[in-house]
Amino acid sequence: MSLISRRAALVGVGASSLLLAGCDKIVQSPTVRRTIGLGEKATMTTQRLIADRNALAPEFAASDRSPVFRTNGNVMPTSAEYQALMTGQFADWKLKVDGMVTNPMTLSLAQMRSAPQRRQTTRHDCVEGWSAIGEWTGVPLGLLLKTAQLSSNARYVVFHCADTTSGVPYYESIDLVDAFHPQTILAHTLNGEALSVGHGAPLRLRVERALGYKQAKYVMRVEAVASLDGIHGGKGGYWEDGAGYQWYAGI
Ligand SMILES: Nc1nc2c(c(=O)[nH]1)N[C@H]1C(S)=C(S)[C@@H](COP(=O)(O)O)O[C@H]1N2
Ligand SMILES: [Mo]
């Protein structure tokens, strides 16, 4: 119940300069100074890369929302389990947060709605050649991962979905930079209304720096892992496994 009752500060996964703090005497050697200089340059490059990946996706005004936000891909999971949850208006739905976490969690939709929220109006870009602007509301993924106490060995977050295509489950995965990005949320609301089934009810991922197929709908389970090997086809997502789509689909 009170798992996410307090607002935790979100932190990006950034390069730490702690390792560079050193002893003054050693720094006096010219060779060492040069080496540190190089290290500094490398650190700067990394910092820039990471800073770039932490940059926010553009956000828009309410008036920019697309009059129609189309649906795409699967629009109605057919499993008996999902159908039953849908019939019960997702009152019995539970999100699992597990894998490489110290504190696995099971959260109801009510708990997701009463946790700290982020609301963002962003543009969705599908590789099939369409875009739409919508306002999403949901729980920052980073907050969930912090609450679940992500293990230091975890490298990726996998989203297991309720839908299948010809028996193949939809899933997606992101790295920890995207997982802790401030605009990465598990959304239950689009344009002020509970997610429709077509858009991924009751919960879908919004990872705003990535293309449409990364925006997993019907998320049932969030699993922290050290490697993507052995998860379905091993390439980190339904389209990555089946059609060779890029795993890193940054925009
Ligand atoms: N579970 C699941 N998530 C999914 C898909 C899907 O078929 N199943 N399609 C993806 C693709 S290609 C796009 S463009 C978006 C479409 O989201 P929308 O239906 O809300 O527009 O969802 C993505 N997430
Ligand atoms: Mo898409």
Side-chain angles (χ1 to χ4, degrees), residues 71 75 82 90 188 190 193-202 217-218:
T71 56
V75 294
Y82 183 86
F90 304 106
H188 47 70
L190 169 59
E193 286 176 26
L195 273 192
S196 65
V197 169
H199 286 302
K217 305 194 279 189
Y218 318 113

Side-chain angles (χ1 to χ4, degrees), residues 69-74 124 126 130 136 161 163 170 198-199 204 212-213 215-218 239:
F69 197 120
R70 60 166 284 185
T71 56
N72 202 34
N74 289 330
H124 174 103
C126 171
W130 60 274
W136 302 96
C161 306
D163 56 320
Y170 202 98
H199 286 302
R204 66 107 45 93
Y213 60 89
Q215 319 296 328
K217 305 194 279 189
Y218 318 113
W239 288 108

Side-chain angles (χ1 to χ4, degrees), residues 66 68-70 122-134:
S66 303
V68 176
F69 197 120
R70 60 166 284 185
T122 53
R123 197 187 60 226
H124 174 103
D125 296 307
C126 171
V127 287
E128 289 168 26
W130 60 274
S131 298
I133 292 176

Side-chain angles (χ1 to χ4, degrees), residues 91-104:
D92 297 328
W93 173 93
K94 291 269 183 347
L95 175 73
K96 274 193 209 129
V97 182
D98 63 7
M100 300 184 78
V101 298
T102 307
N103 178 30

Side-chain angles (χ1 to χ4, degrees), residues 13 53 97-101 141 145 150-160 171-180 214 221-229 231 234-237 247-248:
V13 177
R53 291 209 44 208
V97 182
D98 63 7
M100 300 184 78
V101 298
L141 177 64
L145 295 175
L150 189 66
S151 141
S152 59
N153 298 324
R155 290 289 172 270
Y156 305 96
V157 180
V158 181
F159 303 89
H160 297 277
Y171 78 105
E172 257 304 339
S173 60
I174 59 178
D175 66 16
L176 296 187
V177 178
D178 275 337
F180 283 92
K214 301 296 285 189
R221 178 179 172 212
V222 173
E223 183 194 12
V225 299
S227 159
L228 299 171
D229 294 348
I231 296 174
K235 298 209 171 79
W247 174 79
Y248 180 67

